Amino acid sequence: MRRRWFWAAMLCAQAAWGAEWRHAHSAHFEIYTDSSKARATQLLRRMELARQHFQSWGTPPLPVRVVLFSDERQFAPLRTAASTKGFFQAGADRDYIVLLDAGDGTLRGAVHEYAHLVLHHSAGPLPRWQEEGIAEFHSTLRADGEIVTGEPVAGHVAMLRAEGVLDAARMAAAARGDISALPGRAVPLFYAQSWALIHLIQARGGGDTRHVMPPFDPIEEAELGPLIAELPQYVRRPAPGWKTGRKPDPPAAVEEETIPEARALLVLADLALRVGSVKYARALLTGAEAARPDDPGVLHETGLLALAGGDEAGARVRFEKAAQSPLARGQTFFELALLERERLGVNAPRVRELLEEAVRRTPNHAEAYFLLGQMEESQGRPARAIEWLEKAVSVLPRQSRMWYALALARHQEGLVVAGQKAAATAVATAGNRLDRERAEALVEELRGSQSAVPPTATPRRPAAAAPEAWNQLRGKEAVEGELRELVCGRGAEPLLRIWNGSALKELVLERGTRATGKEVELRCGAQTPPVPVEVSYDPATRRAVSVDFR
């Protein structure tokens, strides 16, 4: 079975080896594609228009890389479902928008994914249907003397007229779970209805843009029913769209070049590793490593492959060699820092040195900011911790664990009200039940704090800040059994669901968790067949420390 998967990955990779790849860039975006120069230019100019339109939401804090495939064989190993034509992939050092060139819908898909990208960095969590509806609402963005947005999507209108609507319970349930797991036509219907709901709200609200433009007002589940009741009538004659009154900037200048095959393979391997397609990445790197064995990018990616296979020593050698190059990425230093944390301890000077180099080379590296903030907080320097952690949440405002750490640091510094606000945000941004319980416990703990703390006093760090079930020995425990499901959510850390023979245990899988044992490629959703594992975890936080695949 393993050999069959490897050869399937090799066949997909060979499609990339034989293609002519080009790189193009405008002022704020870059694109790698096996399509034409004209298509690359068209897409980059639509992205620049989207950036101008969404500027009031905020500008992306990280570089944005677009990958456009004309060959579905290369795209297939990266997507999460057969119907997927594009997706946004967040990263610590850059963000990706990945698209299959599917004709007229490609430009609309690019704007849709860019809306997700900007929301990821600038807004608190929204109901899934609301976020998808916002992205679809703005996906028709175009320039016609001025910027026009919100024009009806013909396919959505036709589907809703022909097939009716999902009721409020099914919409809410779909938004809470994995949309791709919905049966049959329910997936495209969910997207069509999400678009229609936002379109209706905007049309009904006139100049009220609070649900479709920032600051966003989340729509409560109880409001869905009355809105859905209006949809059948509304989609008979939806509003024609909205002129924004803003003139588009002149068409962006685009520079383009045909690139060596090895460079394209490296980009695709980087993307494959980010989405967890390890076998595809290995097949792609076979060609890149042969052509450029000492390239710092190749060394970085093969280091990640070594980590995926449980070879920490091999990974360290590659990362250290890559770090010697002036062209090394900040992410290389961050990966080294994670390895050194395990070897030397979380507060080792070497770890700090590597993290600071990571943020020097990659400004706005939120994960590095977060770890630096944790180091300062654990060493009794809350003011310095706050500086790092506020930078982290400004880049990733949907990360509950970062708001939780910021709440503790602010409390230690005597900023009680600010600490309470950060704790409340940790609850609002929690992507799973475990993080929510921990954040809610912290809110309760801080609620009893005084509204002011004398400047000379050292605030007491909350002693509990956890449900009673968590008040156990703070050492490591292990569970052995079958991994039955990997629960993923946009902006949230994945959740492992493991059956140990008598009960289902849920553990948070955070970035940097060590993997050992045989190579396994996980995808979000149910694991068929279940994967035998042993997971070491911290019982205080229920976060996985290491995963051994059996």
Side-chain angles (χ1 to χ4, degrees), residues 316-499:
R316 185 189 305 277
V317 169
R318 289 172 172 83
F319 291 144
E320 287 179 343
K321 187 174 180 180
Q324 295 171 14
S325 169
L327 301 177
R329 294 158 45 185
Q331 188 66 16
T332 298
F333 292 87
F334 181 75
E335 297 293 347
L336 271 174
L338 294 181
L339 290 173
E340 294 294 69
R341 275 166 58 91
E342 287 192 15
R343 187 172 71 92
L344 302 174
V346 296
N347 291 325
R350 172 64 174 160
V351 174
R352 178 187 296 277
E353 174 189 321
L354 289 166
L355 291 173
E356 289 179 346
E357 184 63 21
V359 298
R360 188 184 72 81
R361 295 192 182 219
T362 304
N364 294 325
H365 195 302
E367 296 289 348
Y369 288 154
F370 175 60
L371 293 183
L372 285 164
Q374 285 191 312
M375 291 178 72
E376 299 290 3
E377 191 268 341
S378 68
Q379 293 176 352
R381 295 188 289 269
R384 293 176 65 180
I386 290 168
E387 292 179 17
W388 289 118
L389 294 169
E390 286 182 343
K391 289 180 178 180
V393 298
S394 72
V395 177
L396 295 178
R398 296 181 169 187
Q399 290 295 319
S400 178
R401 60 196 167 92
M402 294 182 180
W403 286 106
Y404 184 93
L406 179 59
L408 290 176
R410 285 176 172 174
H411 177 75
Q412 283 188 313
E413 186 62 11
L415 304 173
V416 177
V417 174
Q420 291 169 340
K421 288 181 178 179
T425 307
V427 174
T429 54
N432 58 65
R433 178 178 56 80
L434 302 180
D435 281 351
R436 186 174 300 108
E437 288 177 357
R438 185 172 71 143
E440 287 172 345
L442 181 60
V443 167
E444 289 301 314
E445 178 72 20
L446 297 188
R447 187 168 288 157
S449 301
Q450 298 297 314
S451 59
V453 177
T456 56
T458 301
R460 176 176 63 87
R461 177 170 178 161
E468 185 61 32
W470 286 12
N471 293 329
Q472 310 170 26
L473 180 66
R474 300 272 172 152
K476 293 180 183 178
E477 294 185 1
V479 57
E480 186 173 358
E482 294 179 341
L483 174 61
R484 294 195 169 180
E485 187 177 6
L486 180 64
V487 182
C488 305
R490 192 180 291 273
E493 292 170 304
L495 206 63
L496 299 168
R497 286 183 174 163
I498 302 165
W499 176 256

Side-chain angles (χ1 to χ4, degrees), residues 66-149:
V66 181
V67 180
L68 175 67
F69 293 94
S70 66
D71 189 334
E72 190 166 2
R73 291 175 300 169
Q74 299 170 53
F75 179 70
L78 304 171
R79 62 187 174 192
T80 56
S83 60
T84 300
K85 295 292 190 290
F87 59 90
F88 155 59
Q89 177 66 39
D93 57 342
R94 68 164 53 91
D95 291 327
Y96 274 92
I97 290 174
V98 186
L99 303 163
L100 175 64
D101 196 348
D104 294 340
T106 302
L107 297 179
R108 199 169 67 76
V111 178
H112 176 108
E113 299 305 335
Y114 183 70
H116 282 309
L117 184 155
V118 179
L119 285 168
H120 176 73
H121 289 294
S122 62
L126 298 169
R128 180 69 183 271
W129 71 265
Q130 185 179 354
E131 180 157 332
E132 294 296 345
I134 289 168
E136 277 294 273
F137 177 89
H138 291 286
S139 69
T140 59
L141 181 75
R142 64 184 179 88
D144 184 14
E146 60 184 295
I147 297 177
V148 179
T149 191

Side-chain angles (χ1 to χ4, degrees), residues 1 5 483-485 521-531:
M1 175 67 74
W5 275 104
L483 174 61
R484 294 195 169 180
E485 187 177 6
E521 190 165 312
L522 301 178
R523 292 296 179 97
C524 296
Q527 305 301 305
T528 307
V531 180

